[in-house]
Amino acid sequence: MQPQFQNFAMMRVLAATTVIFSHSYLIADGNEKAEPFVRLLGETNILGIYGVFVFFFISGFLVTRSAASSSSVVSFAVKRVLRIYPALIVCCLLSAGILGSIFTSVALSDYWSWLLPLRYTVKTAMLPFTGWQVPTVSFPSFGPHTLNEGMNGSLWTISQELYAYLIVAILLFLGWLNFRVIAGIAAVLALVGVAIHFTGSANLPSQIAEFVIVVPYFFAGSLVYFVRERWGLSGRLAIAICILILLSGFTGYFMLGFLLAAYPVLWFATTDKIQLPALEKVGDISYGLYLYGWPLLQATRVILGDYSTPLLLFLVAWPTTAVLGYLSWHLLEKRALALAPTLSARLSQGGKAFRRGRTPEVP
């Protein structure tokens, strides 16, 4: 039986919270110039992007662990689909259905007869990076025009997460999910990331640029999983790496140096020497926090109007987002994941029957 690491839940909640915190500056001011990490480390260094990196470290570790213990590729794929899609689909339906109905520029009867909420949900489920805008929906004017149309600016990372899952599934299918292959992938992605950091990504398609921004952090987490399985993780080495990363901040390369943070982050997540508060009763609300953060910030900005400041926006929106995250986990995500063993078994049986040339019996 695999060990259950208590710290992961709280760390993911904190990571999701940093994303909401940074987005509160973007949505309140129309830019992130006043965000504390930007003022400290320079442009693009928002606190939320480091929260995303931590998410990907953790995801790389846990997803690789899940794949390594899965009985088949089908079992692995089912767990991943059930983890991502039910909550994503419901979030899209609620966002487009409720907020879209309030802020659409067309008659409500037209908005629904044109099936705009459903079309937005289907399109976003198929291609999560397209979940930025619901046609005809625009929030009251503030900042850049593109932000007014932003229904959910957080969904771009879900596409990258799915690409990483696909790579892991292929490796699992080929029997290549091992330390050497993952180390090679992590090294190549890190080198590509460094090259693009110095040459710029302006000429790259957005999906490739976004892939290079975050997926290396997933495979850094995946690599640490294998390192831990082989040699364990050292607290002293974790501290030494943290010092090295802090020093990189003085050279202007903090974001590049942060790739090394996979080791200390995952040491902290898996150690029994330091225990963060357990969230067993609360549940894993981090995904819900991430999904609903942006739409709730948009709605809160409208409610607060001229009183909106980044900090007030964050303090008002976060509790409501946490409640939605709690409901999403207990009413949807947890129940969907509980279906994984049964669904995996049925799909596997159906696949075997198909290969034998007969139709599986339907109970």
Side-chain angles (χ1 to χ4, degrees):
M1 183 175 179
Q2 292 185 335
Q4 299 299 315
F5 302 117
Q6 177 176 307
N7 288 351
F8 274 117
M10 178 60 78
M11 291 174 69
R12 285 189 291 201
V13 168
L14 293 174
T17 297
T18 67
V19 174
I20 298 173
F21 178 79
S22 290
H23 284 165
S24 69
Y25 281 82
L26 182 61
I27 290 175
D29 296 340
N31 61 69
E32 297 156 331
K33 294 179 181 178
E35 206 263 24
F37 249 52
V38 172
R39 288 187 290 179
L40 179 65
L41 296 172
E43 188 178 359
T44 74
N45 283 282
I46 61 171
L47 180 61
I49 194 63
Y50 293 99
V52 169
F53 294 159
V54 169
F55 257 123
F56 273 78
F57 287 151
I58 292 173
S59 182
F61 183 97
L62 293 178
V63 168
T64 303
R65 180 174 177 244
S66 173
S69 63
S70 293
S71 57
S72 67
V73 176
V74 171
S75 174
F76 171 74
V78 167
K79 286 184 284 187
R80 301 277 55 84
V81 168
L82 292 176
R83 186 69 189 98
I84 292 293
Y85 276 99
L88 173 64
I89 289 170
V90 170
C91 177
C92 290
L93 283 172
L94 290 176
S95 300
I98 298 174
L99 294 181
S101 294
I102 296 171
F103 296 108
T104 182
S105 60
V106 299
L108 198 56
S109 57
D110 290 335
Y111 181 73
W112 283 97
S113 65
W114 295 344
L115 301 178
L116 292 181
L118 181 60
R119 287 162 57 187
Y120 167 78
T121 300
V122 171
K123 183 180 178 183
T124 304
M126 294 176 64
L127 301 168
F129 62 87
T130 63
W132 171 258
Q133 179 185 8
V134 180
T136 77
V137 175
S138 180
F139 294 89
S141 181
F142 66 94
H145 178 67
T146 53
L147 285 182
N148 301 342
E149 299 177 348
M151 178 59 71
N152 201 329
S154 299
L155 299 186
W156 68 275
T157 63
I158 294 178
S159 297
Q160 310 312 318
E161 184 97 2
L162 292 171
Y163 296 149
Y165 292 172
L166 179 60
I167 294 171
V168 172
I170 292 171
L171 295 178
L172 181 62
F173 176 76
L174 295 174
W176 293 354
L177 189 64
N178 57 56
F179 172 78
R180 290 184 178 180
V181 172
I182 292 296
I185 292 174
V188 169
L189 288 175
L191 290 173
V192 171
V194 169
I196 290 178
H197 177 84
F198 287 106
T199 61
S201 59
N203 295 324
L204 292 175
S206 61
Q207 279 293 289
I208 295 177
E210 290 167 358
F211 181 92
V212 174
I213 289 172
V214 295
V215 173
Y217 295 85
F218 179 96
F219 284 98
S222 181
L223 179 60
V224 173
Y225 165 78
F226 284 108
V227 170
R228 186 180 186 277
E229 289 297 297
R230 281 194 169 199
W231 300 288
L233 302 179
S234 164
R236 291 182 179 180
L237 180 56
I239 292 172
I241 292 174
C242 285
I243 294 172
L244 184 63
I245 294 169
L246 289 174
L247 291 175
S248 73
F250 294 101
T251 64
Y253 300 116
F254 186 80
M255 189 172 288
L256 285 179
F258 197 78
L259 191 59
L260 299 175
Y263 190 99
V265 164
L266 292 168
W267 171 83
F268 187 82
T270 57
T271 185
D272 57 4
K273 296 179 180 179
I274 305 172
Q275 293 290 303
L276 295 175
L279 297 179
E280 293 178 359
K281 294 183 179 180
V282 175
D284 187 0
I285 67 171
S286 58
Y287 188 39
L289 277 172
Y290 192 81
L291 287 176
Y292 290 99
W294 183 289
L296 263 293
L297 285 170
Q298 288 278 44
T300 305
R301 169 65 177 85
V302 175
I303 293 169
L304 294 177
D306 293 337
Y307 294 99
S308 293
T309 64
L311 185 57
L312 182 59
L313 196 60
F314 170 74
L315 292 175
V316 173
W318 189 92
T320 308
T321 309
V323 170
L324 289 178
Y326 178 89
L327 294 174
S328 178
W329 171 253
H330 287 281
L331 298 181
L332 183 62
E333 297 167 51
K334 181 171 66 174
R335 298 184 181 191
L337 288 170
L339 298 174
T342 302
L343 185 57
S344 298
R346 292 195 176 192
L347 288 173
S348 296
Q349 290 172 1
K352 291 177 182 178
F354 180 80
R355 287 193 295 272
R356 290 196 298 266
R358 62 183 179 85
T359 303
E361 294 182 4
V362 178

